[in-house]
Amino acid sequence: QVQLVESGGGLVQAGRSLRLSCAASGHTFSTYTMGWFRQAPGKEREFVGGISGSGGVISYADSVKGRFAISRDNAKNTVFLQMNSLKPEAAAVYYCAARRGSLVSETARYTYWGQGTQVTVSS
């Protein structure tokens, strides 16, 4: 069982940056692939990006490529989502998720989920 807790959300002006964190419980964090997802009101949850257990493989959705960066600190059981040049359409609840296995973008293939953190972007 893995428990995930996101933090770092809030209100930010368009064009500014925000860094989200996701802290995981347990002693096997490095064996989990971690994903970041977001869900805006009335929309389906979508893949933002993810990182393999070792950190050696990272993938991003096309909509955030070049502006968002994912990293992890396995010693601290934490994964990060650095969001730069934020646009109003980035406003959503952001979730981190964990799975055993390769990095994938499908929501249904992630086993554990955090409760989410709200990101609001003002124009």
Side-chain angles (χ1 to χ4, degrees), residues 105-121:
S105 62
E106 294 87 350
T107 305
R109 297 178 70 180
Y110 283 79
T111 307
Y112 302 104
W113 290 84
Q115 83 290 348
T117 186
Q118 177 72 51
V119 172
T120 304
V121 184

Side-chain angles (χ1 to χ4, degrees), residues 25-42:
S25 64
H27 302 286
T28 59
F29 179 67
S30 63
T31 67
Y32 286 89
T33 288
M34 301 299 296
W36 282 100
F37 295 79
R38 65 187 180 189
Q39 188 167 19

Side-chain angles (χ1 to χ4, degrees), residues 61-83:
D62 288 343
S63 59
V64 306
K65 204 170 291 183
R67 296 185 298 112
F68 288 16
I70 295 173
S71 60
R72 65 189 297 160
D73 184 341
N74 286 341
K76 296 183 178 179
N77 282 15
T78 304
V79 62
F80 304 98
L81 177 64
Q82 177 69 42
M83 304 185 292

Side-chain angles (χ1 to χ4, degrees), residues 5-12 17-23 35-38 48 68-72 78-84 86 90 92-96 116-120:
V5 179
E6 302 95 337
S7 61
L11 173 63
V12 63
S17 299
L18 203 60
R19 189 194 199 200
L20 305 183
S21 300
C22 172
W36 282 100
F37 295 79
R38 65 187 180 189
V48 174
F68 288 16
I70 295 173
S71 60
R72 65 189 297 160
T78 304
V79 62
F80 304 98
L81 177 64
Q82 177 69 42
M83 304 185 292
N84 301 320
L86 279 163
V93 177
Y94 282 72
Y95 299 89
C96 67
T117 186
Q118 177 72 51
V119 172
T120 304

